[in-house]
Coordinates of all heavy atoms in Angstrom, one line a residue:
M154 N -9.3 5.7 8.5 CA -9.9 6.8 7.7 C -8.8 7.5 6.9 O -7.7 7.7 7.4 CB -10.6 7.8 8.6 CG -11.6 8.6 7.9 SD -12.6 9.8 8.9 CE -13.2 8.8 10.2
V155 N -9.1 7.8 5.7 CA -8.1 8.4 4.8 C -8.8 9.7 4.1 O -9.9 9.6 3.7 CB -7.7 7.4 3.7 CG1 -6.8 8.1 2.7 CG2 -7.0 6.2 4.3
D156 N -8.0 10.8 4.1 CA -8.5 11.9 3.4 C -8.4 11.7 1.9 O -7.5 11.0 1.4 CB -7.6 13.2 3.7 CG -7.9 13.6 5.2 OD1 -9.0 13.6 5.6 OD2 -6.9 14.1 5.8
V157 N -9.3 12.2 1.1 CA -9.3 12.1 -0.3 C -9.6 13.4 -1.0 O -10.1 14.3 -0.3 CB -10.4 11.0 -0.8 CG1 -10.0 9.7 -0.3 CG2 -11.8 11.4 -0.4
V158 N -9.4 13.5 -2.3 CA -9.7 14.7 -3.0 C -10.3 14.2 -4.4 O -9.8 13.3 -4.9 CB -8.5 15.7 -3.2 CG1 -7.4 15.0 -4.0 CG2 -9.0 17.0 -3.9
N159 N -11.4 14.9 -4.8 CA -12.0 14.6 -6.1 C -11.4 15.6 -7.1 O -11.3 16.8 -6.9 CB -13.5 14.8 -6.1 CG -14.2 13.7 -5.3 OD1 -13.7 12.6 -5.3 ND2 -15.3 14.0 -4.7
L160 N -10.9 15.1 -8.2 CA -10.3 15.9 -9.3 C -10.8 15.6 -10.6 O -11.0 14.4 -11.0 CB -8.8 15.6 -9.3 CG -8.0 16.0 -8.0 CD1 -6.6 15.4 -8.0 CD2 -8.0 17.5 -7.7
K161 N -11.1 16.7 -11.4 CA -11.6 16.5 -12.7 C -10.4 16.2 -13.6 O -9.3 16.7 -13.5 CB -12.3 17.8 -13.2 CG -13.0 17.6 -14.5 CD -13.9 18.7 -14.9 CE -14.7 18.4 -16.1 NZ -15.7 19.4 -16.4
C162 N -10.6 15.2 -14.5 CA -9.6 14.8 -15.4 C -10.0 14.8 -16.9 O -11.2 14.7 -17.1 CB -9.1 13.4 -15.1 SG -8.4 13.3 -13.4
D163 N -9.1 14.7 -17.8 CA -9.4 14.5 -19.2 C -10.1 13.2 -19.3 O -9.7 12.2 -18.7 CB -8.1 14.5 -20.0 CG -8.3 14.4 -21.5 OD1 -9.2 13.6 -21.9 OD2 -7.7 15.1 -22.2
K164 N -11.3 13.2 -19.9 CA -12.1 12.0 -20.0 C -11.4 10.8 -20.5 O -11.6 9.7 -20.1 CB -13.3 12.4 -21.0 CG -14.4 11.4 -21.0 CD -15.5 11.9 -21.9 CE -16.8 11.0 -21.8 NZ -17.9 11.6 -22.5
E165 N -10.4 11.0 -21.4 CA -9.6 9.9 -22.0 C -8.7 9.3 -21.0 O -8.2 8.2 -21.2 CB -8.9 10.4 -23.2 CG -9.9 10.8 -24.4 CD -9.2 11.4 -25.5 OE1 -7.9 11.4 -25.6 OE2 -9.9 11.9 -26.4
L166 N -8.3 10.0 -19.9 CA -7.4 9.5 -18.9 C -8.0 8.8 -17.8 O -7.4 8.0 -17.0 CB -6.5 10.6 -18.4 CG -5.7 11.3 -19.4 CD1 -4.9 12.5 -18.7 CD2 -4.7 10.4 -20.0
V167 N -9.3 9.0 -17.5 CA -10.0 8.5 -16.3 C -9.8 7.0 -16.2 O -9.4 6.5 -15.1 CB -11.5 8.9 -16.3 CG1 -12.2 8.2 -15.2 CG2 -11.6 10.4 -16.1
G168 N -10.1 6.2 -17.2 CA -10.0 4.7 -17.1 C -8.6 4.3 -16.7 O -8.4 3.4 -15.9
S169 N -7.6 4.8 -17.4 CA -6.2 4.4 -17.0 C -5.8 4.9 -15.7 O -5.1 4.1 -15.0 CB -5.2 4.9 -18.1 OG -5.2 6.3 -18.2
L170 N -6.2 6.0 -15.2 CA -5.9 6.5 -13.9 C -6.5 5.6 -12.8 O -5.8 5.4 -11.8 CB -6.3 8.0 -13.7 CG -5.6 9.0 -14.4 CD1 -6.3 10.4 -14.3 CD2 -4.2 9.1 -13.9
Q171 N -7.7 5.2 -13.0 CA -8.4 4.3 -12.0 C -7.7 3.0 -11.9 O -7.9 2.3 -10.9 CB -9.8 4.1 -12.4 CG -10.6 5.3 -12.3 CD -12.1 5.2 -12.8 OE1 -12.4 4.1 -13.3 NE2 -12.9 6.2 -12.7
K172 N -6.8 2.6 -12.8 CA -6.0 1.3 -12.6 C -4.8 1.5 -11.7 O -4.2 0.5 -11.3 CB -5.6 0.8 -14.0 CG -6.8 0.4 -14.9 CD -6.3 0.0 -16.2 CE -7.5 -0.3 -17.1 NZ -7.1 -0.7 -18.5
E173 N -4.5 2.8 -11.4 CA -3.3 3.0 -10.5 C -3.7 2.9 -9.1 O -4.8 3.3 -8.7 CB -2.8 4.4 -10.8 CG -2.2 4.6 -12.3 CD -1.6 5.9 -12.5 OE1 -1.1 6.6 -11.6 OE2 -1.6 6.3 -13.7
H174 N -2.8 2.5 -8.3 CA -3.0 2.4 -6.8 C -3.2 3.8 -6.2 O -2.5 4.7 -6.6 CB -1.8 1.7 -6.1 CG -1.7 0.3 -6.4 ND1 -2.6 -0.7 -6.0 CD2 -0.7 -0.4 -7.1 CE1 -2.2 -1.8 -6.5 NE2 -1.1 -1.7 -7.1
G175 N -4.3 3.9 -5.4 CA -4.5 5.2 -4.8 C -5.5 6.1 -5.5 O -5.8 7.1 -5.0
I176 N -5.9 5.7 -6.7 CA -6.8 6.5 -7.5 C -8.1 5.6 -7.8 O -8.0 4.5 -8.2 CB -6.2 6.9 -8.8 CG1 -4.9 7.8 -8.5 CG2 -7.2 7.7 -9.7 CD1 -4.2 8.3 -9.7
F177 N -9.3 6.2 -7.6 CA -10.5 5.4 -7.6 C -11.6 6.1 -8.4 O -11.4 7.3 -8.7 CB -11.0 5.2 -6.2 CG -10.0 4.8 -5.2 CD1 -9.3 5.7 -4.4 CD2 -9.7 3.4 -5.1 CE1 -8.3 5.2 -3.5 CE2 -8.7 2.9 -4.2 CZ -8.0 3.8 -3.5
K178 N -12.7 5.4 -8.7 CA -13.8 6.1 -9.3 C -14.2 7.2 -8.4 O -14.2 7.1 -7.2 CB -15.0 5.1 -9.5 CG -14.7 4.0 -10.5 CD -15.9 3.1 -10.7 CE -15.5 2.1 -11.7 NZ -16.7 1.1 -11.9
A179 N -14.7 8.3 -9.0 CA -15.0 9.5 -8.2 C -16.2 9.2 -7.3 O -17.2 8.6 -7.7 CB -15.4 10.6 -9.1
Y180 N -16.0 9.6 -6.1 CA -17.1 9.5 -5.0 C -18.1 10.6 -5.2 O -17.7 11.8 -5.0 CB -16.4 9.4 -3.7 CG -17.3 9.2 -2.5 CD1 -17.9 7.9 -2.4 CD2 -17.7 10.2 -1.6 CE1 -18.8 7.7 -1.3 CE2 -18.5 9.9 -0.6 CZ -19.1 8.7 -0.4 OH -19.9 8.4 0.6
H181 N -19.3 10.3 -5.5 CA -20.4 11.3 -5.6 C -20.1 12.3 -6.7 O -20.6 13.5 -6.6 CB -20.6 12.1 -4.3 CG -21.3 11.2 -3.2 ND1 -22.6 10.9 -3.2 CD2 -20.7 10.7 -2.1 CE1 -22.9 10.2 -2.2 NE2 -21.8 10.0 -1.5
M182 N -19.4 11.9 -7.7 CA -19.1 12.8 -8.9 C -19.4 12.1 -10.2 O -19.6 10.8 -10.2 CB -17.7 13.3 -8.9 CG -17.2 14.0 -7.6 SD -18.1 15.5 -7.3 CE -17.3 16.6 -8.4
N183 N -19.4 12.8 -11.3 CA -19.6 12.1 -12.6 C -18.3 11.3 -12.8 O -17.2 11.8 -13.0 CB -19.7 13.2 -13.7 CG -19.8 12.7 -15.1 OD1 -19.2 11.6 -15.4 ND2 -20.4 13.4 -15.9
K184 N -18.5 10.0 -12.9 CA -17.4 9.1 -13.0 C -16.7 9.1 -14.4 O -15.7 8.4 -14.5 CB -17.8 7.7 -12.6 CG -18.1 7.7 -11.1 CD -18.9 6.5 -10.6 CE -19.2 6.5 -9.2 NZ -19.9 7.7 -8.6
E185 N -17.3 9.8 -15.3 CA -16.7 9.8 -16.7 C -15.6 10.9 -16.7 O -14.7 10.8 -17.6 CB -17.7 10.2 -17.7 CG -18.7 9.0 -18.0 CD -19.7 9.4 -19.1 OE1 -19.5 10.4 -19.8 OE2 -20.7 8.6 -19.2
N186 N -15.7 11.9 -15.8 CA -14.7 13.0 -15.9 C -14.0 13.3 -14.6 O -13.1 14.1 -14.5 CB -15.5 14.3 -16.2 CG -16.2 14.2 -17.5 OD1 -15.6 13.9 -18.5 ND2 -17.5 14.5 -17.5
W187 N -14.3 12.5 -13.5 CA -13.7 12.8 -12.2 C -13.1 11.5 -11.6 O -13.6 10.4 -11.9 CB -14.7 13.3 -11.2 CG -15.2 14.7 -11.6 CD1 -16.2 15.0 -12.6 CD2 -14.9 15.9 -11.0 NE1 -16.4 16.3 -12.6 CE2 -15.6 16.9 -11.7 CE3 -14.0 16.3 -10.0 CZ2 -15.5 18.3 -11.3 CZ3 -13.9 17.6 -9.7 CH2 -14.6 18.6 -10.3
V188 N -12.0 11.7 -10.8 CA -11.5 10.6 -10.0 C -11.3 11.0 -8.6 O -11.3 12.2 -8.3 CB -10.1 10.2 -10.6 CG1 -10.2 9.6 -12.0 CG2 -9.1 11.3 -10.6
T189 N -11.3 10.1 -7.7 CA -11.0 10.3 -6.3 C -9.5 9.9 -6.0 O -9.2 8.7 -6.4 CB -12.0 9.6 -5.4 OG1 -13.3 10.2 -5.6 CG2 -11.6 9.8 -3.9
V190 N -8.7 10.7 -5.4 CA -7.3 10.4 -5.1 C -7.2 10.3 -3.6 O -7.5 11.3 -2.9 CB -6.4 11.4 -5.7 CG1 -4.9 11.0 -5.4 CG2 -6.6 11.5 -7.2
G191 N -6.6 9.2 -3.1 CA -6.3 9.1 -1.7 C -5.1 9.9 -1.3 O -4.2 10.0 -2.1
L192 N -5.2 10.6 -0.2 CA -4.1 11.4 0.2 C -3.3 10.8 1.4 O -2.9 11.4 2.3 CB -4.7 12.8 0.7 CG -5.4 13.6 -0.3 CD1 -6.0 14.8 0.3 CD2 -4.6 13.9 -1.5
D193 N -3.0 9.5 1.1 CA -2.3 8.7 2.2 C -0.9 8.4 1.8 O -0.2 7.6 2.4 CB -3.1 7.4 2.4 CG -3.3 6.6 1.2 OD1 -2.9 7.0 0.1 OD2 -3.9 5.5 1.3
G194 N -0.4 9.1 0.7 CA 1.0 8.9 0.3 C 1.2 7.8 -0.8 O 2.3 7.7 -1.3
I195 N 0.2 7.1 -1.1 CA 0.4 6.1 -2.2 C 0.6 6.8 -3.5 O 1.5 6.3 -4.3 CB -0.9 5.2 -2.3 CG1 -0.9 4.3 -1.0 CG2 -0.8 4.3 -3.5 CD1 -2.1 3.4 -0.9
V196 N -0.1 7.8 -3.8 CA 0.1 8.6 -5.1 C 1.2 9.6 -4.8 O 1.2 10.3 -3.8 CB -1.2 9.3 -5.5 CG1 -1.0 10.2 -6.7 CG2 -2.4 8.3 -5.8
S197 N 2.2 9.6 -5.7 CA 3.3 10.5 -5.5 C 2.9 12.0 -5.5 O 1.9 12.3 -6.1 CB 4.4 10.3 -6.6 OG 3.9 10.8 -7.8
D198 N 3.7 12.8 -4.8 CA 3.4 14.2 -4.8 C 3.4 14.8 -6.2 O 2.6 15.6 -6.5 CB 4.5 15.0 -4.0 CG 4.3 14.7 -2.5 OD1 3.2 14.2 -2.1 OD2 5.2 15.0 -1.7
E199 N 4.3 14.4 -7.1 CA 4.4 14.9 -8.4 C 3.1 14.5 -9.2 O 2.6 15.3 -10.0 CB 5.6 14.4 -9.2 CG 6.9 15.0 -8.6 CD 6.9 16.5 -8.6 OE1 6.5 17.1 -9.7 OE2 7.2 17.2 -7.6
K200 N 2.7 13.3 -9.1 CA 1.4 12.8 -9.8 C 0.2 13.6 -9.3 O -0.6 14.1 -10.0 CB 1.2 11.3 -9.5 CG 0.0 10.8 -10.2 CD 0.2 10.7 -11.7 CE -0.7 9.7 -12.3 NZ -0.4 9.3 -13.6
L201 N 0.2 13.8 -7.9 CA -0.9 14.6 -7.4 C -0.9 16.0 -7.9 O -2.0 16.6 -8.2 CB -0.8 14.5 -5.8 CG -2.0 15.2 -5.1 CD1 -3.3 14.7 -5.4 CD2 -1.7 15.1 -3.6
K202 N 0.2 16.6 -7.9 CA 0.4 18.0 -8.4 C -0.1 18.1 -9.8 O -0.8 19.1 -10.2 CB 1.8 18.5 -8.3 CG 2.2 18.8 -6.8 CD 3.7 19.2 -6.8 CE 4.2 19.3 -5.4 NZ 5.6 19.6 -5.3
S203 N 0.3 17.1 -10.6 CA -0.1 17.1 -12.0 C -1.6 17.0 -12.2 O -2.2 17.7 -13.0 CB 0.6 15.9 -12.8 OG 0.1 15.8 -14.1
L204 N -2.2 16.1 -11.4 CA -3.7 16.0 -11.4 C -4.4 17.2 -11.0 O -5.4 17.6 -11.5 CB -4.1 14.7 -10.6 CG -3.7 13.4 -11.2 CD1 -3.9 12.3 -10.2 CD2 -4.3 13.1 -12.5
V205 N -3.9 17.9 -9.9 CA -4.5 19.1 -9.4 C -4.4 20.2 -10.5 O -5.4 20.9 -10.8 CB -3.8 19.6 -8.1 CG1 -4.2 21.0 -7.8 CG2 -4.1 18.6 -7.0
R206 N -3.2 20.3 -11.2 CA -3.1 21.3 -12.3 C -4.1 21.0 -13.4 O -4.8 22.0 -13.9 CB -1.7 21.3 -12.8 CG -0.7 22.1 -12.0 CD 0.6 22.3 -12.7 NE 1.3 21.0 -12.9 CZ 2.2 20.5 -12.1 NH1 2.4 21.1 -10.9 NH2 2.8 19.4 -12.4
M207 N -4.3 19.8 -13.8 CA -5.2 19.4 -14.8 C -6.7 19.8 -14.4 O -7.4 20.3 -15.1 CB -5.2 17.9 -15.2 CG -6.1 17.5 -16.3 SD -6.2 15.8 -16.7 CE -4.7 15.0 -16.2
S208 N -7.0 19.4 -13.2 CA -8.3 19.7 -12.6 C -8.6 21.2 -12.6 O -9.7 21.6 -13.0 CB -8.5 19.1 -11.2 OG -9.8 19.3 -10.8
Y209 N -7.6 22.0 -12.2 CA -7.8 23.4 -12.1 C -8.0 23.9 -13.5 O -8.9 24.8 -13.8 CB -6.5 24.1 -11.5 CG -6.6 25.6 -11.5 CD1 -7.4 26.2 -10.5 CD2 -6.0 26.3 -12.5 CE1 -7.5 27.6 -10.5 CE2 -6.1 27.7 -12.5 CZ -6.9 28.3 -11.6 OH -7.0 29.7 -11.6
Y210 N -7.2 23.5 -14.5 CA -7.4 24.0 -15.9 C -8.8 23.6 -16.4 O -9.4 24.4 -17.1 CB -6.3 23.3 -16.8 CG -6.5 23.6 -18.2 CD1 -6.2 24.8 -18.8 CD2 -7.1 22.6 -19.1 CE1 -6.4 25.1 -20.1 CE2 -7.3 22.9 -20.4 CZ -7.0 24.1 -20.9 OH -7.2 24.4 -22.2
L211 N -9.3 22.4 -16.1 CA -10.6 22.0 -16.6 C -11.8 22.6 -15.9 O -12.8 22.6 -16.5 CB -10.7 20.4 -16.5 CG -9.7 19.6 -17.4 CD1 -9.8 18.2 -17.1 CD2 -10.1 19.9 -18.9
T212 N -11.6 23.1 -14.7 CA -12.7 23.7 -14.0 C -12.7 25.2 -13.9 O -13.7 25.8 -13.5 CB -12.8 23.1 -12.6 OG1 -11.6 23.4 -11.9 CG2 -13.0 21.6 -12.6
S213 N -11.5 25.8 -14.2 CA -11.5 27.3 -14.1 C -12.1 27.9 -15.3 O -12.2 27.4 -16.4 CB -10.0 27.7 -14.0 OG -9.3 27.4 -15.2
G214 N -12.6 29.1 -15.1 CA -13.2 29.9 -16.2 C -12.2 30.2 -17.2 O -11.1 30.6 -16.8
K215 N -12.5 30.0 -18.4 CA -11.5 30.3 -19.5 C -11.6 31.7 -20.0 O -12.6 32.3 -20.1 CB -11.6 29.2 -20.5 CG -11.3 27.9 -20.0 CD -11.3 26.8 -21.1 CE -10.8 25.5 -20.6 NZ -11.7 24.5 -20.2

């Protein structure tokens, strides 16, 4: 069993992100705007932080 997190991404990046190891089509989310990231260490901490920042920006009230 692996912990995961769903993150909203720029629609233009979703396809290329899903080609990276540890990043998948979003589980139970809109697959055009969201990705699921495995928290098992495959995705680097820096990449994960970058994706979390993007998701926060895209989901926070402006």
Side-chain angles (χ1 to χ4, degrees):
M154 198 176 311
V155 174
D156 290 324
V157 298
V158 63
N159 289 327
L160 299 169
K161 189 167 188 174
C162 295
D163 186 315
K164 191 175 188 175
E165 295 174 7
L166 297 176
V167 170
S169 62
L170 286 170
Q171 290 174 356
K172 293 177 184 176
E173 296 184 27
H174 291 293
I176 302 178
F177 311 94
K178 291 182 179 181
Y180 185 70
H181 288 285
M182 304 295 283
N183 177 330
K184 289 162 183 56
E185 292 181 11
N186 300 307
W187 293 78
V188 294
T189 294
V190 181
L192 301 176
D193 55 0
I195 292 174
V196 176
S197 72
D198 288 346
E199 289 306 312
K200 180 72 158 195
L201 183 57
K202 288 176 188 177
S203 174
L204 292 171
V205 168
R206 281 191 292 272
M207 183 185 336
S208 184
Y209 177 80
Y210 172 77
L211 292 171
T212 59
S213 66
K215 296 182 171 104

